Amino acid sequence: NAGVTQTPKFRILKIGQSMTLQCTQDMNHNYMYWYRQDPGMGLKLIYYSVGAGITDKGEVPNGYNVSRSTTEDFPLRLELAAPSQTSVYFCASSYSGPENTEAFFGQGTRLTVV
Amino acid sequence: AQSVTQLGSHVSVSEGALVLLRCNYSSSVPPYLFWYVQYPNQGLQLLLKYTSAATLVKGINGFEAEFKKSETSFHLTKPSAHMSDAAEYFCAVSEMDSSYKLIFGSGTRLLVRP
């Protein structure tokens, strides 16, 4: 009964380094999302996917990339980390859109870029 | 485009008092609306959702919200606050395209005084 699993939970990066935030779900959900949460700003959508092989940009995609090779996995890639990417990142999934089901969130990845 | 405004970044109530967290939305079509709760260092958990059925929606932990189209509001209430209700609360509206992505408000932190 894992739901949405994100790894790592915490990470410190140096400016210019790269990393991949992992997200996997075991609910066979078609839709997956990556959000970032900054204090007082709510959650902003970075990228989303409506199914394997299909991804699209959200509100704040610059500096990030994603892929969706399987239904279960939706990794988020940071190529050249910048201090502005210090944030808490949440992955979420839903089955067919919110009119029938809720969006399930992972526990988050807290990233600090120094 | 859809948007959500939450009035009050912080709300403080005494234990046993009424909780009222305000949310107004902007939508050109009948919206799907949500309230999520986030406990410290946790992901987001769905409290309740409105998907065009009954205008008064009951959720978990004794919370409810009323959809008022004339006021474009979806305020969250609970008759009697408990210490365990202290958390951050987010109102969200679903984008009514094929992405079903959620647009979040900036959040309201609820403080409960003994």
Side-chain angles (χ1 to χ4, degrees):
Chain A
N1 202 17
V4 178
T5 302
Q6 290 183 238
T7 55
K9 287 186 169 52
F10 304 94
R11 182 73 184 269
I12 298 174
L13 275 184
K14 294 184 178 180
I15 295 171
Q17 286 186 320
S18 63
M19 77 165 293
T20 299
L21 283 67
Q22 301 291 346
C23 176
T24 187
Q25 51 93 7
D26 62 359
M27 297 172 282
N28 201 32
H29 284 171
N30 293 325
Y31 291 70
M32 296 188 74
Y33 310 89
W34 274 106
Y35 290 89
R36 60 176 287 172
Q37 182 182 25
D38 300 302
M41 302 293 289
L43 282 79
K44 303 293 185 186
L45 183 66
I46 305 171
Y47 271 94
Y48 67 96
S49 169
V50 300
I54 306 170
T55 62
D56 207 346
K57 296 177 180 179
E59 187 179 359
V60 289
N62 291 344
Y64 307 95
N65 278 300
V66 294
S67 59
R68 184 95 183 271
S69 57
T70 66
T71 299
E72 295 78 19
D73 300 307
F74 190 41
L76 178 71
R77 178 85 176 161
L78 283 70
E79 290 295 348
L80 291 170
S84 61
Q85 294 177 305
T86 294
S87 188
V88 181
Y89 292 84
F90 288 100
C91 179
S93 72
S94 67
Y95 180 57
S96 63
E99 77 277 13
N100 289 324
T101 187
E102 66 185 81
F104 291 82
F105 282 80
Q107 294 293 293
T109 295
R110 186 175 296 274
L111 176 66
T112 302
V113 181
V114 296
Chain B
Q2 324 276 44
S3 66
V4 171
T5 301
Q6 291 184 242
L7 295 176
S9 59
H10 292 80
V11 170
S12 180
V13 300
S14 297
E15 191 173 19
L18 172 71
V19 176
L20 171 61
L21 304 182
R22 299 178 185 275
C23 173
N24 288 88
Y25 68 90
S26 172
S27 174
S28 58
V29 297
Y32 295 146
L33 294 160
F34 305 81
W35 276 100
Y36 281 84
V37 61
Q38 184 182 32
Y39 299 103
N41 300 314
Q42 301 273 323
L44 278 72
Q45 178 184 1
L46 183 70
L47 271 179
L48 49 82
K49 63 180 180 181
Y50 168 77
T51 56
S52 74
T55 56
L56 182 63
V57 182
K58 294 187 185 298
I60 62 172
N61 301 338
F63 284 93
E64 62 182 36
E66 186 173 9
F67 172 71
K68 291 187 176 181
K69 183 178 179 181
S70 61
E71 298 177 7
T72 62
S73 69
F74 190 56
H75 301 333
L76 182 71
T77 60
K78 182 174 180 178
S80 177
H82 192 273
M83 296 297 290
S84 60
D85 294 327
E88 188 150 23
Y89 293 79
F90 292 94
C91 182
V93 63
S94 174
E95 196 73 78
M96 299 308 290
D97 58 20
S98 59
S99 73
Y100 298 110
K101 52 186 179 283
L102 295 177
I103 311 298
F104 284 89
S106 55
T108 298
R109 184 167 298 279
L110 177 66
L111 307 172
V112 182
R113 303 185 303 271

